[in-house]
Amino acid sequence: MTAEAPRHGVLLTRGAEQDLEAIHDYIAEYDCLANANHVLDRLMKIVESLSAFPDRGNYPKELAALGIKEYRQIAFKPYRVIYRVNDDRVVIYLIVDGRRDMQSLLARRLLGG
């Protein structure tokens, strides 16, 4: 019998929920609803997969350069899911297009700057 990895609860912050809505709305408006739904489904699968393997993400380079290694990220290009593992819980803080100005976005949303 194989031991199953412990499961973590996954929580999306209100900001992350708004990010998902904005991504979906943008793709639906400027591309098509089918592609918007596909991207949303893929991002949600990534989010859900963090319950089993939360430590697999790497450190966002913008934060690692500042010596901050409490946040991790998983990518579904060009989107980045940025989260933090707290004991038995994964908190998703941002789901954003990585082509944006990440330095200022991370400072504003994670570091209160």
Side-chain angles (χ1 to χ4, degrees):
M1 184 182 297
T2 59
E4 193 172 306
R7 306 288 286 184
H8 290 72
V10 178
L11 170 72
L12 276 84
T13 62
R14 182 67 190 131
E17 289 176 355
Q18 291 170 340
D19 292 340
L20 281 173
E21 291 170 15
I23 290 167
H24 184 271
D25 292 349
Y26 182 87
I27 296 171
E29 183 175 345
Y30 293 101
D31 190 355
C32 69
L33 184 58
N35 286 345
N37 290 338
H38 170 74
V39 169
L40 182 63
D41 288 344
R42 291 291 304 268
L43 288 170
M44 288 308 299
K45 283 182 181 167
I46 288 170
V47 166
E48 292 164 7
S49 74
L50 291 172
S51 71
F53 302 106
D55 294 326
R56 77 174 193 270
N58 61 335
Y59 302 115
K61 66 182 184 292
E62 299 87 352
L63 296 175
L66 300 172
I68 300 170
K69 293 189 174 182
E70 59 195 82
Y71 297 95
R72 293 182 175 269
Q73 70 177 2
I74 297 287
F76 168 57
K77 294 205 177 207
Y79 303 101
R80 293 166 64 179
V81 177
I82 298 177
Y83 64 97
R84 184 157 95 182
V85 181
N86 296 326
D87 299 320
D88 63 345
R89 194 167 82 166
V90 176
V91 180
I92 312 289
Y93 289 94
L94 291 106
I95 302 174
V96 295
D97 186 324
R99 297 170 291 192
R100 293 180 60 188
D101 177 5
M102 291 301 294
Q103 196 73 36
S104 64
L105 184 61
L106 291 170
R108 186 172 60 250
R109 295 270 297 271
L110 299 179
L111 307 176

